Amino acid sequence: MALSGSRAWSVGSRMSSYQLASLVTKLNISPVKRIEFSFDPFGTNVRSCRDALFHLYSNNVRVTNVNCILKVNVKSDRSDPNMNVIFNDGLKVLFKTNNLTTLELLRTFDNMCRERIIETDKDEAAPKEEAPKSKSKKKKR
Amino acid sequence: MATAVGLRVSVRGWLETTRPVSLIVRHKAKMNVKTRKHRPMVIRALQAITEPLILEDLQKPICPKTKWARIRENEEEEVNLYQDFLVRKCKKHLENAGLILICQKLPMGMRDTKKIKLQLEAQGFKMPVISNTVMKRAIHDTRWIHLSPLLLNHNFYATSEDARLKELLGLIRKFPQLIPLAAVVDNTILNRADLLHYATLDLEVERTQLVTLLKMPGERIVQLLNNHPKELTCNIEQYIKQKGDENTSS
């Protein structure tokens, strides 16, 4: 069996790799408290879990939240791979990565993180709007 | 709009701005550049009817820019001599190694990789850099074929001629970017649990226990075979003593 350097690589897989690369550069895990990866390396459909572990461990992503704990449990019981995410607000999400691609997994994770980041920005902006109203009341007197 | 026709061209190829040979002037509207003129209906119909029917394979559009797109399924794969060389080197490495440790490699800089390599080489271990494609070809149709599920992502390999798994794990524990997944020790594939259990074993104690266990059945057989004659001799001696005591008393 001779494998050449020029492999048959479909356009679809290349597009998904571009999308994945662009997604990983924009990941922000600031609302995440802890992420636990558990997989059996000899099991099936472990690629997405291991890929996600690799991308979330990169410096670009870890810089967004230095206090986030990344834990890896390597099992030997042929169990299904999963990714358990605990957010700062107490929400726990279990991603069963058996039938998910890396792009799908990271995309949903990114959407959840972005929702929480928007909520925290709104909470921070709300008290700032109340402060100037009190000053205007004083002026009317 | 005027168009100049017949400009002279010098030896160097530059257009000389001399007087043109002839000059065409159109005093009508601007020249139509954007909208195309349609051909007559008769000609278009004839063209559509007489268009050749091309087979589906030849009709597939291939973008000339991307080299991957040029490959088709039925084409023969090219032989890559350098990859063949790497595969042979990898096979030799696997056959000579008494211990192969496979780890998940997380992102780390060149300094850390260099540090790991130096520490491993100081202890007598090797750190071969093998890609998944080369490894897949190397373990194809060999006794290491069952390692293929591990060859998915970024992997780290550490090898040695002796099975010094405990020392190797002690070195790798210092680097959190390396997560041990499996090992091949004395031609047996160990998963994570077996790997950690093997590292905790004291091999000399285990070997002595094994030797005693192997000796036990043989010793038992010898003991059982010698038991009957021993008893017989003891009984005969006792009988002789009793007889002698009786004779002396009588």
Side-chain angles (χ1 to χ4, degrees):
Chain A
M1 185 174 76
L3 288 175
S4 64
S6 55
R7 328 174 256 198
W9 195 359
S10 65
V11 175
S13 64
R14 206 148 47 87
M15 285 298 291
S16 64
S17 63
Y18 288 148
Q19 288 172 1
L20 186 64
S22 65
L23 181 68
V24 168
T25 53
K26 294 170 191 170
L27 268 174
N28 188 348
I29 58 168
S30 52
V32 180
K33 189 179 174 184
R34 186 186 176 95
I35 307 174
E36 288 182 10
F37 295 90
S38 57
F39 59 90
D40 180 2
F42 287 98
T44 54
N45 299 328
V46 182
R47 181 189 282 271
S48 54
C49 190
R50 284 181 67 179
D51 266 343
L53 167 63
F54 182 85
H55 290 302
L56 290 173
Y57 206 90
S58 61
N59 277 332
N60 294 335
V61 176
R62 282 169 66 205
V63 156
T64 57
N65 186 358
V66 180
N67 297 324
C68 180
I69 299 164
L70 286 163
K71 196 179 173 187
V72 181
N73 296 321
V74 179
K75 294 185 179 176
S76 308
D77 53 1
R78 302 296 171 108
S79 57
D80 291 334
N82 58 56
M83 182 173 100
N84 195 8
V85 181
I86 301 169
F87 290 95
N88 286 329
D89 57 1
L91 179 68
K92 293 180 185 177
V93 182
L94 179 70
F95 289 90
K96 294 186 180 179
T97 63
N98 206 2
N99 294 315
L100 290 173
T101 60
T102 315
L103 184 62
E104 287 166 358
L105 175 63
L106 289 176
R107 207 175 256 170
T108 48
F109 174 71
D110 184 47
N111 290 336
M112 295 183 86
C113 290
R114 279 171 191 270
E115 283 169 14
R116 268 140 198 88
I117 290 164
I118 291 163
E119 283 174 10
T120 51
D121 289 340
K122 278 183 185 174
D123 293 339
E124 284 170 6
K128 286 181 185 176
E129 290 175 358
E130 291 174 0
K133 284 181 184 176
S134 61
K135 285 181 185 175
S136 63
K137 281 182 183 175
K138 284 179 185 175
K139 282 181 182 176
K140 280 181 181 177
R141 286 179 183 175
Chain B
M1 187 184 158
T3 57
V5 178
L7 290 169
R8 284 176 198 165
V9 179
S10 67
V11 177
R12 289 180 190 174
W14 293 104
L15 285 172
E16 286 184 83
T17 53
T18 54
R19 283 180 294 173
V21 173
S22 66
L23 193 69
I24 299 166
V25 178
R26 293 172 73 243
H27 296 287
K28 287 185 179 177
K30 287 182 184 176
M31 201 162 77
N32 184 9
V33 179
K34 289 182 184 175
T35 55
R36 279 188 179 179
K37 287 181 183 177
H38 291 293
R39 286 185 183 179
M41 192 64 194
V42 175
I43 293 167
R44 279 159 63 191
L46 274 171
Q47 201 175 20
I49 291 160
T50 56
E51 195 176 344
L53 293 170
I54 302 168
L55 295 169
E56 279 184 6
D57 289 337
L58 295 170
Q59 270 180 352
K60 269 184 187 173
I62 296 169
C63 178
K65 292 178 186 176
T66 55
K67 67 174 177 178
W68 308 124
R70 282 188 236 127
I71 304 295
R72 289 180 191 174
E73 290 177 1
N74 295 325
E75 274 185 2
E76 289 180 2
E77 288 171 343
E78 295 171 4
V79 174
N80 191 339
L81 294 172
Y82 179 60
Q83 203 174 71
D84 291 343
F85 164 73
L86 287 174
V87 167
R88 273 183 265 127
K89 199 177 163 186
C90 181
K91 276 185 181 174
K92 212 185 259 185
H93 211 82
L94 291 173
E95 281 162 13
N96 293 333
L99 164 66
I100 304 163
L101 180 68
I102 302 160
C103 302
Q104 162 82 32
K105 187 180 171 186
L106 296 175
M108 58 184 181
M110 281 300 292
R111 276 191 184 178
D112 289 335
T113 50
K114 196 74 181 176
K115 210 190 260 185
I116 292 164
K117 192 173 181 183
L118 288 170
Q119 286 190 14
L120 286 173
E121 283 177 358
Q123 297 280 339
F125 298 104
K126 287 181 186 174
M127 194 188 96
V129 178
I130 306 167
S131 69
N132 286 336
T133 48
V134 169
M135 195 66 171
K136 277 179 190 172
R137 277 188 63 192
I139 63 172
H140 186 67
D141 287 340
T142 58
R143 57 179 181 270
W144 303 290
I145 187 72
H146 296 291
L147 291 173
S148 52
L150 299 172
L151 306 177
L152 290 174
N153 304 84
H154 302 262
N155 288 329
F156 172 88
Y157 302 96
T159 61
S160 75
E161 291 180 1
D162 305 323
R164 294 181 290 146
L165 187 61
K166 196 175 180 180
E167 293 173 20
L168 183 57
L169 280 178
L171 277 171
I172 280 165
R173 266 176 199 153
K174 294 176 190 173
F175 299 95
Q177 298 97 335
L178 298 175
I179 300 162
L181 298 177
V184 180
V185 179
D186 293 334
N187 296 327
T188 53
I189 295 171
L190 303 175
N191 58 15
R192 167 94 174 187
D194 292 339
L195 193 156
L196 294 173
H197 178 66
Y198 188 91
T200 57
L201 295 174
D202 188 358
L203 286 176
E204 288 184 3
V205 169
E206 296 294 323
R207 276 174 196 154
T208 50
Q209 281 182 3
L210 182 67
V211 167
T212 51
L213 278 169
L214 289 170
K215 274 186 184 176
M216 266 175 67
E219 286 176 355
R220 181 75 180 153
I221 290 165
V222 167
Q223 190 186 4
L224 286 170
L225 286 171
N226 290 332
N227 193 23
H228 191 69
K230 271 185 187 176
E231 276 186 20
L232 187 64
T233 51
C234 286
N235 290 335
I236 289 166
E237 281 175 3
Q238 198 175 6
Y239 180 72
I240 291 164
K241 267 187 187 177
Q242 277 177 356
K243 278 285 181 183
D245 290 339
E246 280 173 9
N247 289 335
T248 54
S249 62
S250 61

